[in-house]
Amino acid sequence: MEASHFLQSRRSFAATLAHSRHAHEHNKLRHCSIAAVLTRPVENINIATGKSRTIITPADVVTGAEEKSRVYNDNWFDRMAINHLSQNVQAATGLKNNKSGFESLAEAATAASRKFNPAKQTELVIQALDSAFPKPIFSLLRAILPQSKFAREYFAIFTTIFFAWLVGPCEVRESELDGRKEKNVVYIKKCRFLEETNCVGMCINMCKMPSQSFIKSSLGTPVNMVPNFDDMSCEMIFGQDPPELSNDPALKQPCFKLCKVNQRHNTNDCSK
């Protein structure tokens, strides 16, 4: 009697174990199928849209529970700086909006990109930067920090501390300049401005070009901004002159698939 009961219990346990293993394998195959769909390569997909090209980048794809946009918890200094720059951009362009925070800055830039040609966009942003940042401070910095390794490394550190509200989290990295190592590079992990506007042309005409010009004229130090449109990161290389417009890879980049402005961006457009 006891032996029969023991054998019956073993059979029941074995059946339960077999069912558990079957369910585990089924779930494993299901998860692999989902992962295969979510991680399909998209970097090289091109879509022809009339005369212009549109690309799908990893920035256009959301996988699993990953969010497309980072959530920023701006402190009082961040909010003050963002609103100050937004008001100056609106004043320079003459295009007002009633939004607040970074949304207001992005809206001001978007409105300008739709109304003005690329060269005018850059000119207006430089005008806004001249108004937003006090010239005496930059003149003093330029006088006490002439071009040197120390100055370039100082500007890199300064940028990561005081301008994260504009570009997002960033860090100082090392590069080689004139045959020696310097910590003169600001690596922006995912540019806040590019992520918010999602427009290659606005990145070039309203950030890269005017920033390079403004920093060179204000601080006397050249800087080359090298955006990576695949992951929305960027490098600001202090002490390095930017390439000529005709040779700058950034100006040959087509629009994002989800570009909010949906306009062409090429060397001819950006040099008009």
Side-chain angles (χ1 to χ4, degrees):
M1 182 75 175
E2 291 180 359
S4 175
H5 179 72
F6 175 73
L7 289 174
Q8 184 177 2
S9 298
R10 288 188 61 184
R11 291 192 191 98
S12 177
F13 175 75
T16 302
L17 182 61
H19 176 74
S20 176
R21 286 177 177 172
H22 176 74
H24 173 74
E25 293 298 326
H26 175 74
N27 288 333
K28 184 177 180 181
L29 288 172
R30 180 171 174 267
H31 291 159
C32 290
S33 299
I34 293 173
V37 172
L38 292 177
T39 59
R40 61 189 183 277
V42 296
E43 289 87 345
N44 296 322
I45 300 176
N46 287 334
I47 301 176
T49 55
K51 294 182 179 180
S52 61
R53 289 191 303 130
T54 301
I55 63 170
I56 299 177
T57 73
D60 298 326
V61 179
V62 181
T63 58
E66 180 183 356
E67 295 184 1
K68 182 175 182 292
S69 298
R70 183 194 306 269
V71 176
Y72 292 90
N73 296 314
D74 296 316
N75 58 35
W76 67 269
F77 174 82
D78 299 331
R79 293 191 295 270
M80 181 180 68
I82 291 167
N83 290 327
H84 178 63
L85 182 58
S86 176
Q87 291 299 319
N88 279 274
V89 171
Q90 293 177 53
T93 62
L95 304 172
K96 301 291 185 179
N97 69 70
N98 297 321
K99 297 182 179 181
S100 62
F102 207 89
E103 188 180 5
S104 174
L105 178 59
E107 176 62 26
T110 300
S113 70
R114 287 174 173 153
K115 181 171 182 178
F116 305 106
N117 64 43
K120 187 65 175 179
Q121 292 171 34
T122 299
E123 177 187 330
L124 290 171
V125 172
I126 293 174
Q127 181 181 327
L129 292 173
D130 282 333
S131 301
F133 301 105
K135 290 183 179 180
I137 293 180
F138 285 103
S139 298
L140 179 62
L141 287 173
R142 184 169 183 169
I144 64 177
L145 292 173
Q147 272 209 66
S148 63
K149 176 184 177 182
F150 176 79
R152 291 186 288 271
E153 293 185 339
Y154 175 85
F155 294 145
I157 294 172
F158 185 87
T159 301
T160 62
I161 295 174
F162 292 103
F163 287 93
W165 56 268
L166 178 59
V167 297
C170 47
E171 62 188 30
V172 175
R173 289 189 174 181
E174 191 177 66
S175 74
E176 186 172 309
L177 184 66
D178 298 330
R180 64 178 183 177
K181 299 289 187 179
E182 290 187 11
K183 293 184 178 180
N184 63 323
V185 178
V186 175
Y187 174 72
I188 302 165
K189 299 176 182 179
K190 189 171 186 181
C191 179
R192 185 178 187 179
F193 181 76
L194 179 57
E195 183 182 23
E196 180 68 27
T197 59
N198 211 17
C199 177
V200 171
M202 290 175 66
C203 166
I204 294 170
N205 304 318
M206 307 196 76
C207 181
K208 172 181 165 63
M209 304 300 287
S211 296
Q212 289 175 169
S213 177
F214 177 77
I215 292 172
K216 177 66 180 293
S217 62
S218 300
L219 299 176
T221 299
V223 62
N224 182 23
M225 298 183 68
V226 186
N228 182 333
F229 295 112
D230 288 333
D231 60 8
M232 293 190 172
S233 66
C234 184
E235 286 187 336
M236 296 178 65
I237 309 173
F238 286 92
Q240 183 180 93
D241 287 303
E244 295 292 331
L245 293 179
S246 58
N247 296 323
D248 196 330
L251 274 65
K252 297 177 174 62
Q253 173 72 26
C255 299
F256 285 136
K257 172 180 175 286
L258 301 178
C259 173
K260 295 179 181 179
V261 181
N262 194 25
Q263 64 182 11
R264 295 183 61 190
H265 317 294
N266 56 44
T267 305
N268 291 333
D269 288 338
C270 295
S271 60
K272 285 179 181 177

